[in-house]
Amino acid sequence: MTARLDISADAFRSNIHVVTARIAPAELMVVMKDDAYGHGLDWAVSEAVSAGAGWLGSYDVTSALRMRELAPSTRIFAWAPSDDDEVAAAIAADIDLGVGSIEYLLAVRAQASRLGRPARVHLKIDTGLHRNGIRAESWRTAVDEARAGESAGDLAVTGLWSHLAEASDAEDDASQRIFHDALGVLRSAGIELEHHHLTASAASWERPELRGSLCRIGAFCYGVRSADGPELEGIRPVATLHARVLETDADAAVIGIGSLDGIPSTLVGASVGTPQGMRTVLEIGPTTMRIAGWPGAEAGQEVVVFGEGGASATDLAERVGTVGEEILTRVSPLIPRRHR
Ligand SMILES: *Cc1c(COP(=O)(O)O)cnc(C)c1O
């Protein structure tokens, strides 16, 4: 084996505890899209549940159903607009659905009515992202439809939610005003929500005034800080990518991972962790990388491409204008995962 992605349950649980304490009294929803940000969905579900997570977030219904098998009594939220069969399966599996259009609300209600079982829905107000959300001008109509669905026993409106652009504080403040107005309309319609949720990692951490009663957090639970964001007290990387030294010459070591394994070839010039400290990446080929040498370098030693003992995924991402999540989720599925 020339490379390996080590995944630390200790780090994941400890991050969940740190995040939970930071956002209290708001509750934590651990977001698990993209195969739990490349960490492995099954593993992440069981660790998050045993770390005490009360809510899990899935983008799509297919993953949510898998999560339900592993977590029979944890709340699960799925927000991708889904087809009738998926909606029916989600209702039957007791999954909370994110609903971002009146059309979808009616489709969910129809499936619930057919099954004879109320669907738990979280209505999404568009607060400026213009990405799957009910516009403010249609909000009253949506709330009326939701109430009608509740009265008929087809719907239980348990949540209000939206997603922030996190481009500037001023924009996020404006989004929050729209969000609060939407909350007011729901309340005056007599709808009793269990939760309202607006923020993901960065805003949940930095801006307590924007938090609702629940925070949807992925990145920070996996130990990935925001690109151009601060280091996070108490948060550690969960995944560490190791690669083995294959051969050495006078001034460099060749390690067994390359661009076809998911390492962007534009990362030349970045630093990786070696047994003698950080060294510069000189060249990235399809299956290998050349690293500046160190005293005592020899085949068989291990280098940290990112994670504990090296640069963070976000450190690498910042060099190439992306986010840490992208570095993580690009690591080839053929690289063995070692969960520990
Ligand atoms: C990905 C996502 C999150 C989590 O974002 P992080 O920055 O990883 O915490 C929350 N909500 C929605 C709708 C998302 O798509």
Side-chain angles (χ1 to χ4, degrees), residues 31 33 37 79 161 163 200-201 216-219 325:
V31 174
K33 64 190 181 203
Y37 293 49
W79 64 84
W161 72 293
H163 197 51
S201 287
R216 303 181 309 271
I217 300 188
E325 294 90 315

Side-chain angles (χ1 to χ4, degrees), residues 3-24:
R4 185 181 78 242
L5 192 66
D6 276 343
I7 298 180
S8 162
D10 254 14
F12 188 44
R13 288 167 182 230
S14 136
N15 292 344
I16 288 175
H17 292 145
V18 169
V19 167
T20 301
R22 175 101 183 183
I23 66 173

Side-chain angles (χ1 to χ4, degrees), residues 40-334:
L41 183 66
D42 288 11
W43 171 86
V45 170
S46 56
E47 292 301 339
V49 169
S50 66
W55 283 84
L56 304 176
S58 168
Y59 175 65
D60 59 297
V61 166
T62 305
S63 308
L65 294 172
R66 176 64 189 153
M67 290 157 80
R68 174 55 76 223
E69 284 176 37
L70 300 162
S73 56
T74 306
R75 296 291 287 278
I76 297 172
F77 178 60
W79 64 84
S82 305
D83 66 30
D84 286 348
D85 291 346
E86 290 173 316
V87 166
I91 296 168
D94 219 13
I95 285 158
D96 287 57
L97 292 168
V99 171
S101 73
I102 294 175
E103 192 189 5
Y104 188 51
L105 182 69
L106 297 177
V108 170
R109 181 178 170 185
Q111 290 307 313
S113 165
R114 202 174 60 77
L115 290 169
R117 174 174 180 156
R120 278 205 297 261
V121 298
H122 300 220
L123 295 180
K124 183 179 187 189
I125 177 83
D126 179 6
T127 50
L129 265 188
H130 303 315
R131 190 169 79 190
N132 174 37
I134 298 164
R135 299 291 178 99
E137 58 269 25
S138 311
W139 189 248
R140 276 173 198 281
T141 314
V143 171
D144 289 345
E145 290 291 352
R147 254 191 73 80
E150 277 201 332
S151 306
D154 296 332
L155 298 175
V157 183
T158 48
L160 165 69
W161 72 293
S162 191
H163 197 51
L164 293 173
E166 292 187 343
S168 73
D169 283 359
E171 266 177 85
D172 291 349
D173 290 341
S175 295
Q176 190 194 28
R177 285 193 288 275
I178 300 172
F179 191 72
H180 276 159
D181 290 347
L183 189 57
V185 173
L186 280 166
R187 285 185 173 146
S188 56
I191 291 179
E192 286 189 29
L193 300 175
E194 218 180 312
H195 280 300
H196 55 286
H197 43 111
L198 180 61
T199 53
S201 287
S204 298
W205 187 271
E206 297 287 350
R207 303 208 51 205
E209 67 280 13
L210 295 184
R211 283 178 210 142
S213 62
L214 183 65
C215 299
R216 303 181 309 271
I217 300 188
F220 291 6
C221 290
Y222 303 97
V224 178
R225 74 173 163 85
S226 308
D228 305 317
E231 296 293 338
L232 306 163
E233 174 127 15
I235 297 289
R236 306 191 262 142
V238 172
T240 298
L241 181 60
H242 295 274
R244 223 176 258 289
V245 175
L246 303 178
E247 57 187 32
T248 59
D249 56 33
D251 40 38
V254 175
I255 63 170
I257 193 164
S259 59
L260 296 182
D261 302 304
I263 305 300
S265 50
T266 43
L267 279 178
V268 168
S271 298
V272 296
T274 77
Q276 298 289 328
M278 302 299 285
R279 289 293 185 280
T280 305
V281 175
L282 304 174
E283 206 178 305
I284 301 178
T287 56
T288 58
M289 286 164 61
R290 268 175 79 80
I291 311 296
W294 57 91
E298 60 178 3
Q301 289 178 331
E302 282 190 352
V303 163
V304 173
V305 179
F306 63 75
E308 206 72 63
S312 73
T314 302
D315 294 338
L316 299 184
E318 285 168 345
R319 294 187 62 89
V320 296
T322 182
V323 293
E325 294 90 315
E326 187 177 339
I327 299 290
L328 264 164
T329 55
R330 277 173 65 147
V331 173
S332 165
L334 300 179

